[in-house]
């Protein structure tokens, strides 16, 4: 079984890399990693914030587009007060602001995520910009449970490969929490966070430093909880697939 797991940036992926050995690959044009979990061949791609890196081309290099399933993962902001810091959410559907359409996640993958400890929610809102202020999140609350920037477009693309898909996200900021910086102004054209731009904003508003430190701690906690979930989840998917292959069926 071939499983693609995506993150936007390395900070989201780093805690999982500490739990399991990954080999860094060099021929894809984007940051990519490989590991084996049971009989599953797992590849990780870093897509950049908003999926701006050429990860689709990298996927074709890795497997010639032959994927069984894709897990779009990373961090997200809660849109509802009921979702707490560090919780791992699995979405039943995604709304893409870019494509103006909703995309369904695979029900079987969602069900397995629930058995592995994820909280199943109705929808993620895949936005084209970071929701910085609490009032922005309140305006989106009626649309979804959490806001992020990549999952809908990633699962839309992998569906063209015939792959099943799911989006899982760790909550890094609460629904009533303003972010300490305007992250829309610190992201490069390739979807990376520019430290120079971050420092520029901090210099202009030094009072934001405590909030920035706190947000960094929240993000680290959420990424660690997500890593623990992903390890359980992919082990479960790999075991399920092995069993079904013995029965003459495939998960894909």
């Amino acid at each position: 079984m071939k499983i693609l797991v995506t993150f936007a940036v390395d900070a989201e992926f780093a805690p999982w890399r500490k739990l399991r050995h990954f080999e860094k690959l060099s021929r894809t044009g984007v940051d990519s990693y490989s590991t084996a979990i049971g009989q599953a061949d797992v590849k990780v791609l870093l897509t950049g914030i908003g999926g701006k890196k050429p990860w689709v081309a990298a996927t074709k290099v890795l497997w010639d587009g032959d994927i069984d399933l894709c897990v779009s993962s990373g961090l997200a902001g809660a849109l509802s007060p009921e979702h707490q810091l560090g919780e791992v959410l699995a979405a039943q559907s995604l709304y893409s602001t870019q494509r103006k359409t909703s995309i369904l996640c695979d029900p079987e993958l969602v069900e397995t995520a629930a058995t592995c400890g994820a909280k199943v929610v109705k929808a993620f809102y895949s936005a084209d910009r970071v929701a910085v202020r609490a009032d922005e999140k309140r305006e989106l609350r009626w649309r979804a449970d959490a806001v992020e920037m990549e999952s809908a477009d990633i699962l839309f693309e992998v569906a063209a490969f015939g792959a099943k898909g799911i989006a899982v996200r760790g909550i890094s900021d609460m629904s009533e929490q303003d972010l300490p910086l305007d992250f829309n102004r610190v992201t490069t054209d390739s979807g990376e966070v520019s430290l120079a731009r971050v420092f520029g904003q901090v210099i202009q508003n030094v009072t934001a430093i405590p909030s920035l430190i706190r947000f960094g701690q929240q993000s680290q906690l959420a990424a660690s909880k997500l890593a623990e979930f992903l390890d359980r989840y992919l082990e479960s998917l790999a075991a399920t697939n092995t069993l079904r292959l013995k029965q003459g069926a495939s998960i894909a």
Side-chain angles (χ1 to χ4, degrees), residues 4 6 55-56 69-73 91-94 99 103-106 109-110 124 126 148 150-169:
L4 174 65
T6 65
W55 66 270
V56 175
L69 61 95
C70 174
V71 181
S72 173
S73 66
Q92 295 176 320
S93 66
L94 311 164
R99 302 180 188 278
I103 298 167
L104 296 178
C105 295
D106 181 77
L109 294 180
V110 173
F124 291 165
S126 290
E148 44 82 52
E150 298 86 27
S151 293
D153 290 332
I154 286 172
L155 295 196
F156 182 90
E157 294 288 354
V158 298
F161 298 146
K164 296 182 177 182
I166 183 174
V168 294
R169 295 276 164 165

Side-chain angles (χ1 to χ4, degrees), residues 132-145:
V132 176
R133 301 188 310 275
D135 59 353
E136 293 180 88
K137 298 177 188 178
R138 284 193 291 271
E139 291 176 3
L140 295 174
R141 188 174 299 171
W142 68 277
R143 300 294 302 265
D145 295 88

Side-chain angles (χ1 to χ4, degrees), residues 49-234:
I49 297 171
K52 295 180 179 179
K53 293 186 175 180
W55 66 270
V56 175
T59 301
K60 294 178 180 178
V61 170
L62 290 172
W63 288 318
D64 194 27
D66 182 16
I67 310 168
D68 293 307
L69 61 95
C70 174
V71 181
S72 173
S73 66
L75 304 184
L79 296 179
S80 169
E82 68 180 275
H83 305 316
Q84 301 300 308
L85 178 67
E87 282 187 322
V88 176
L89 308 185
Q92 295 176 320
S93 66
L94 311 164
Y95 180 78
S96 169
T97 58
Q98 178 179 337
R99 302 180 188 278
K100 308 298 182 186
T101 189
S102 293
I103 298 167
L104 296 178
C105 295
D106 181 77
E108 187 176 2
L109 294 180
V110 173
E111 181 180 353
T112 303
T115 65
C116 292
K119 181 179 181 179
V120 176
V121 297
K122 184 176 180 180
F124 291 165
Y125 188 86
S126 290
D128 56 5
R129 63 184 305 278
V130 180
V132 176
R133 301 188 310 275
D135 59 353
E136 293 180 88
K137 298 177 188 178
R138 284 193 291 271
E139 291 176 3
L140 295 174
R141 188 174 299 171
W142 68 277
R143 300 294 302 265
D145 295 88
V147 59
E148 44 82 52
M149 295 182 65
E150 298 86 27
S151 293
D153 290 332
I154 286 172
L155 295 196
F156 182 90
E157 294 288 354
V158 298
F161 298 146
K164 296 182 177 182
I166 183 174
V168 294
R169 295 276 164 165
I171 295 300
S172 60
D173 50 287
M174 306 293 288
S175 61
E176 298 301 324
Q177 179 184 2
D178 291 334
L179 298 186
L181 299 176
D182 183 351
F183 286 95
N184 296 296
R185 295 170 54 196
V186 302
T187 305
T188 67
D189 291 340
S190 62
E192 297 282 359
V193 174
S194 167
L195 291 180
R197 296 180 187 179
V198 171
F199 291 148
Q201 283 203 40
V202 170
I203 290 172
Q204 293 176 22
N205 184 17
V206 295
T207 60
I209 292 176
S211 296
L212 185 60
I213 293 173
R214 183 166 57 251
F215 178 68
Q217 293 170 337
Q218 292 177 190
S219 298
Q220 186 174 22
L221 171 65
S224 296
K225 294 292 186 181
L226 178 63
E228 294 169 2
F229 166 78
L230 286 172
D231 221 50
R232 292 192 304 270
Y233 185 48
L234 268 68

Side-chain angles (χ1 to χ4, degrees), residues 31-52:
D31 289 332
S32 54
Y33 301 81
S34 177
T35 193
I37 300 179
Q39 298 300 312
D41 177 16
V42 179
K43 297 290 194 298
V44 173
L45 292 179
L46 304 186
T47 68
I49 297 171
K52 295 180 179 179

